[in-house]
Amino acid sequence: MSLSTPDLPKHVKVVEVGPRDGLQNEKQPVPTDIKIALIDRLSAAGFANIESTSFVSPKWVPQMADGAEVMAGITRRPGTIYSVLTPNLRGFEGAVAAKADEVVIFGAASEAFSQRNINCSIVESIERFAPVARAAKDAGLRLRGSISCALGCPYQGEVPVASVVDVVQRLAALGCDEIDIADTIGVGTPSRTREVMEACAKVFPIERLSGHFHDTYGQATANVYAALLSGISIFHSSVAGLGGCPYAKGATGNVATEDVVYLLHGLGIETGIDLDAVVRTGDFISRAIDRPNASRVGRAMLAKLQDGAPACV
Amino acid sequence: MSLSTPDLPKHVKVVEVGPRDGLQNEKQPVPTDIKIALIDRLSAAGFANIESTSFVSPKWVPQMADGAEVMAGITRRPGTIYSVLTPNLRGFEGAVAAKADEVVIFGAASEAFSQRNINCSIVESIERFAPVARAAKDAGLRLRGSISCALGCPYQGEVPVASVVDVVQRLAALGCDEIDIADTIGVGTPSRTREVMEACAKVFPIERLSGHFHDTYGQATANVYAALLSGISIFHSSVAGLGGCPYAKGATGNVATEDVVYLLHGLGIETGIDLDAVVRTGDFISRAIDRPNASRVGRAMLAKLQDGAPACV
């Protein structure tokens, strides 16, 4: 039964999604200068990829209405990829004008979720992105595809592994450079994570697959570890755990970046990220938007700083 | 790099420690009838082992001063082991009078922690338990040994694996039936967890070693999964995440039982525990002592019940 510690990736890319995926769920408008300061602090902390905003109709997502101002206001760190969500060609044009490095398209692995959220099938929803994908390739931009509900769905419950694999193949056919396997509602556990990741890795290069976990059921760091064991080396996370779960008020959403980076460093994996700077950034944004810090690493490290408690980490 | 999902234990014993380890850290006195109701709800939910109270000087731990009343008030569920902490022979006599099924002795794997907390060496601290251990064996009681700071120490930081193994051997020599490897301050990550568990399993039967993880740095479910991969099949947890971290105010302490049981069931592992009943028990005790529910599974499942949101789990 006992295994020796298996090989883990030597280096992991952590994609910080707080400025977009995290802040998007905030009810109160977040001032543009706070968003800019957040992104600049994150790039200074060493993130090589920051999901920065959406170019989406402000009627749908008022919180992201200032995407162009945010992108114009940030200080670009050489080498950092600033990603934006682009639901359609109009959004894509906004992204190009804003000099985004990467555009993100998306679909669900759950038929019920696709039908209820955008009133079309999974296949149709992916096909609608074909013009955006072509335009991105023509413009020489990186293209990322994100698959929601990959480990479970709030409407249909179980999501077949084959559905996830099918969406991976469709996104790959559109030319995606990177594909995200997202546990949107945080219901997944490690065996399922490994099963899905290993199935997807059979149809898409594993070094370009990413894991996007939510901590709604407290499984996120376990799932990150499980995915590492399957060879995944890109993970999404949100500083201070920004972003709730729209399907269960008061519940946790995106896994906190601090908790993921702590895990990775504890496993001896390089990230290029300064954890102390991330903890300070999590404190900054939590105070700026008057929200409890949802990172346990953040709370523990900040409490120790304040208490002058023995430093052991 | 990629591994197929490895074998995991088919059945896991979850030792519920909320009534003792969890409540012990509460500043406000918890009424005896609430403690009794908590333990009875837990046994009804299916726990085979509940750490119920301490027989320790009320000067040291006023919250546990009613240990005899608690033990006298509970309804014994046949088959459930009710454990109590016994720091000395006087505590042991209290435990016998209260008809405890198991007594728990303890020591740190960190020399600095031992010196600072009880002003003696690790070796001395274990030797002091010899009379209690002998008395327990003579009385035919189960004896459990708990090793704190096994993955890190608030004073000395790193704790050598060899120190943990040494304490395991000393507790085994005293006749312990079960030995707990406790990450008291929650700093451990999965590779270290596996290293320590696998080293201890070389000197003590793995089926009688347990993992006791704190979620202070958000690593607890990852560490439980890691320990399962090493073959560990007994875990401690605390309903609603009762119990804070005395070394970092506001930080999380014991891993929540709900989160661990959700993980285990998601991995297809039997526990004999009714998760819904545990979630309701977590809600009961959190309300009774006016404390936020620190279980993410608890919060998510309760929010869904209240919202009438789509049931997907």
Side-chain angles (χ1 to χ4, degrees), chain A residues 9 48 58 87 182 200 239 288:
Chain A
C200 293
V239 64

Side-chain angles (χ1 to χ4, degrees), chain A residues 3 153-154 187 189-191 194 198 215-216 218-219 221 225 249 252 259 262-263 266-267 296-297 299 303 310 312, chain B residues 3 153-154 187 189-191 194 198 215-219 221 225 249 252 259 262-263 266-267 296-297 299 303 310 312:
Chain A
L3 298 171
C153 166
V187 295
T189 48
S191 293
R194 295 177 76 163
E198 292 174 24
D215 209 23
T216 321
Q219 308 299 307
T221 52
Y225 178 61
K249 267 180 276 179
T252 315
D259 300 9
Y262 182 94
L263 169 67
L267 295 172
R296 284 152 293 165
V297 166
R299 290 203 303 269
C312 56
Chain B
L3 298 173
C153 168
V187 296
T189 48
S191 293
R194 294 176 77 164
E198 293 174 21
D215 209 24
T216 321
Y217 291 82
Q219 308 299 308
T221 53
Y225 179 59
K249 266 181 276 176
T252 314
D259 300 10
Y262 181 94
L263 168 67
L267 294 172
R296 283 154 291 165
V297 166
R299 290 202 302 269
C312 56

